[in-house]
Amino acid sequence: MRGLVCLLVLLPILYSTIDTILPRFFMFDPVRLQQLSQASIEKFPDNATLLMEDLQASLRAEYGDKHINALRKDAWFFNNAGGAMGSMIILHASVTEYLIFFGTPLGTEGHSGVHLAHDYFTILNGEQSIFYPGDIEPTVYKPGSQNHLPKGRAVQYILNGWALELAQGWIPSMLPFGFLDTFTSTLDFQNLWNTIYWTAHGIIGQLLVGKF
Ligand SMILES: *[C@@H]1O[C@H](CO)[C@@H](O)[C@H](O)[C@H]1NC(C)=O
C-alpha cells in the first residue's frame, strides 16, 4: 500500500522531470523548417511532387543524410485517425521527434487527436482550416504558413493538400492514435504493418546513431 502511494507521488514528478529535459534531445527548429519550406514553395509553387523532392534535399543538406530518410514511393502509407484519412512518409522518427510529409490530394476532415507533443504543421500546397471549440470563424493556413497545435490541445481540421509536419514530445505516446482505426474501422493490416515497420525503422535507426 505504501509502495503504491509512493509510486503515485513519484510518477508525476518523474514524468515532469523527464518532460523538462526532453527539449535537449530536439534537433529540429520549427522556424528553420518553415524557412526551408518557403524556399521550396517559391521554387515549385505548382508542383507538389517537385516541391517535396526539393524540400527533402534541403532538409538533408541542413540536418544530414543520416537523420533524413530518402523519398521512396514504397515508404508512403495511409494514416486513418480521428475520422480523417491521408498518406504520409516518415522523413525522421525518433523517440522525441518526428518529421513527415502528410496530406491528401483529395481532401479530408477530422479530429487532430490529443498528444503529449507539440505539433508544427507547415502547409506546402493547398490549404488547411482549423477551429478550436469556442471559435466561430475558422483559421485558414495557406502555403508557407505554419500551424502550431500545442501539446494537449485538439482542433477540428480540414486539409486539402500537403504539409511538412514536425512533432516534438513523446512520440511513442502518439502511436495508438495512428494505429487504432485499423482495428475499429479499416482492417488494413498491410498498412498497419507498413506504419509499424517504418516507425520502428526510424526510431531504432536513430537510436543507433545516437539520436534519442
Ligand atoms: C509535377 O512534376 C512531375 C515530375 O516532373 C510530373 O510527373 C507531374 O505531372 C507534375 N505535376 C503537375 C501538376 O504539373
Side-chain angles (χ1 to χ4, degrees):
M1 187 62 203
R2 200 176 303 169
L4 187 65
V5 172
C6 268
L7 198 69
L8 285 178
V9 172
L10 283 179
L11 268 185
I13 295 174
L14 189 67
Y15 172 79
S16 68
T17 308
I18 296 176
D19 216 45
T20 51
I21 63 168
L22 264 196
R24 287 189 204 165
F25 299 104
F26 296 166
M27 68 181 290
F28 297 103
D29 170 21
V31 175
R32 186 68 188 131
L33 292 179
Q34 186 178 15
Q35 290 168 346
L36 294 174
S37 299
Q38 287 168 346
S40 295
I41 292 165
E42 205 161 295
K43 279 194 244 173
F44 300 105
D46 303 317
N47 191 309
T49 309
L50 298 176
L51 192 169
M52 284 191 234
E53 285 171 7
D54 186 70
L55 182 52
Q56 186 264 357
S58 56
L59 289 166
R60 278 201 149 175
E62 181 87 10
Y63 295 105
D65 288 12
K66 69 177 180 184
H67 295 300
I68 303 291
N69 298 335
L71 275 186
R72 334 178 355 178
K73 196 142 194 175
D74 68 348
W76 283 91
F77 51 86
F78 281 133
N79 181 258
N80 290 75
M85 176 169 183
S87 76
M88 60 183 266
I89 186 168
I90 296 175
L91 296 168
H92 171 100
S94 56
V95 177
T96 61
E97 294 178 292
Y98 74 61
L99 185 67
I100 65 175
F101 286 138
F102 174 78
T104 159
L106 307 182
T108 194
E109 171 277 317
H111 188 293
S112 62
V114 181
H115 305 290
L116 293 177
H118 285 272
D119 196 274
Y120 302 87
F121 204 78
T122 308
I123 308 303
L124 302 174
N125 167 273
E127 71 176 40
Q128 185 197 35
S129 302
I130 64 140
F131 92 105
Y132 288 89
D135 290 353
I136 305 300
E137 314 295 340
T139 305
V140 181
Y141 295 91
K142 304 268 189 190
S145 63
Q146 190 178 68
N147 166 18
H148 173 210
L149 177 67
K151 180 165 75 169
R153 299 294 309 275
V155 293
Q156 183 187 9
Y157 73 95
I158 182 161
L159 173 68
N160 293 277
W162 297 99
L164 177 71
E165 180 178 0
L166 169 71
Q168 293 183 312
W170 287 107
I171 301 309
S173 74
M174 302 176 80
L175 299 181
F177 183 67
F179 289 166
L180 278 175
D181 272 20
T182 308
F183 303 99
T184 57
S185 166
T186 68
L187 304 181
D188 186 346
F189 291 102
Q190 176 63 48
N191 193 72
L192 177 67
W193 167 249
N194 291 342
T195 308
I196 292 172
Y197 174 81
W198 289 111
T199 306
H201 177 271
I203 292 179
I204 295 167
Q206 289 304 304
L207 283 174
L208 291 177
V209 296
K211 168 67 172 78
F212 184 67

